[in-house]
Amino acid sequence: DGGITQSPKYLFRKEGQNVTLSCEQNLNHDAMYWYRQDPGQGLRLIYYSQIVNDFQKGDIAEGYSVSREKKESFPLTVTSAQKNPTAFYLCASSRQGAARKLFFGSGTQLSVL
Amino acid sequence: DQQVKQNSPSLSVQEGRISILNCDYTNSMFDYFLWYKKYPAEGPTFLISISSIKDKNEDGRFTVFLNKSAKHLSLHIVPSQPGDSAVYFCAATINNAGNMLTFGGGTRLMVKP
């Protein structure tokens, strides 16, 4: 079955540590996205990539980094510069030019130790 | 400043009755609107959408109404079922390729048997 796989489901970060969240899709979608969900605040866009080897900052990119070396993969690194990283992180993908119809993964809950 | 707002964080409805979820937006450029449904520990899934050229779109038990003058849309679920219990996100965009979705904060719907 085609879909988006996020791993791990739960992740803990120590002070000053960088952590990387994995996102893989086999939908053959060109575009991929990372969102952050905080209680009551909806989903906020961190980074997106519309094509391999290219990505753009979203609304809250500070303290995060991404790479897009393969069409299927869009890992997100939460760096030590992100002072409030505890949140639910969602990866999504869409066909090129169809940013409104997103397919989401099941998310990663990141917590700070 | 939130451009898409869902002012009710939660809603409780009896099974078989109507559920009405509301969403307000401030950006008059938005011309395409969507509802996503999210179960706990899962990613959101697309539910229904509406273009600004319409004022109503229906899909089975789900109907979305758009009032452009009031910058307001609503999702009606009739009849409500316990399996509808989830968080519902309203989202809006400007309908051009490359424009991202702006999400509301979500409304948690609880349908009681």
Side-chain angles (χ1 to χ4, degrees):
Chain A
D1 285 337
I4 301 178
T5 302
Q6 288 187 242
S7 62
K9 203 165 182 63
Y10 301 96
L11 186 60
F12 297 91
R13 193 191 90 166
K14 292 181 182 177
E15 208 64 45
Q17 185 182 40
N18 292 354
V19 292
T20 297
L21 285 62
S22 170
C23 178
E24 304 276 333
Q25 56 100 357
N26 60 3
L27 298 167
N28 200 32
H29 285 167
D30 289 303
M32 297 186 74
Y33 313 81
W34 275 104
Y35 285 88
R36 169 179 170 142
Q37 184 189 2
D38 294 280
Q41 291 199 43
L43 282 65
R44 291 182 291 167
L45 183 64
I46 304 172
Y47 267 99
Y48 64 100
S49 167
Q50 294 183 316
I51 197 167
V52 175
N53 291 322
D54 188 42
F55 49 83
Q56 284 79 41
K57 293 181 180 180
D59 299 321
I60 54 165
E62 186 174 348
Y64 300 97
S65 66
V66 293
S67 62
R68 187 85 186 279
E69 297 175 3
K70 298 188 298 181
K71 186 176 183 178
E72 304 80 19
S73 178
F74 192 40
L76 173 74
T77 296
V78 184
T79 75
S80 57
Q82 172 50 245
K83 298 306 178 190
N84 185 21
T86 297
F88 190 60
Y89 290 86
L90 285 160
C91 179
S93 70
S94 72
R95 290 184 293 107
Q96 182 67 268
R100 62 194 194 188
K101 293 284 179 71
L102 300 176
F103 291 80
F104 284 90
S106 56
T108 294
Q109 176 63 50
L110 175 63
S111 302
V112 177
L113 287 175
Chain B
D1 182 32
Q2 282 189 298
Q3 296 188 68
V4 178
K5 288 185 180 178
Q6 295 176 253
N7 291 317
S8 298
S10 65
L11 174 68
S12 183
V13 170
Q14 202 68 35
E15 181 179 5
R17 308 293 284 268
I18 184 171
S19 295
I20 300 177
L21 293 87
N22 294 304
C23 178
D24 296 295
Y25 61 96
T26 56
N27 188 342
S28 58
M29 298 292 291
F30 287 147
D31 59 4
Y32 195 85
F33 306 88
L34 307 90
W35 286 92
Y36 280 80
K37 175 179 179 179
K38 183 184 181 298
Y39 292 117
E42 294 183 14
T45 55
F46 169 75
L47 186 59
I48 192 169
S49 62
I50 187 167
S51 166
S52 61
I53 62 173
K54 295 184 174 182
D55 54 19
K56 176 183 173 181
N57 189 27
E58 191 172 353
D59 183 1
R61 297 186 296 114
F62 302 91
T63 303
V64 55
F65 295 91
L66 176 62
N67 182 334
K68 290 187 289 291
S69 60
K71 295 192 182 70
H72 176 84
L73 65 155
S74 60
L75 174 68
H76 293 211
I77 306 173
V78 184
S80 301
Q81 299 173 354
D84 296 329
S85 298
V87 176
Y88 290 79
F89 290 99
C90 169
T93 188
I94 302 168
N95 195 22
N96 283 323
N99 282 307
M100 300 298 117
L101 295 180
T102 300
F103 285 87
T107 296
R108 181 178 301 279
L109 173 66
M110 292 162 285
V111 180
K112 296 180 287 188

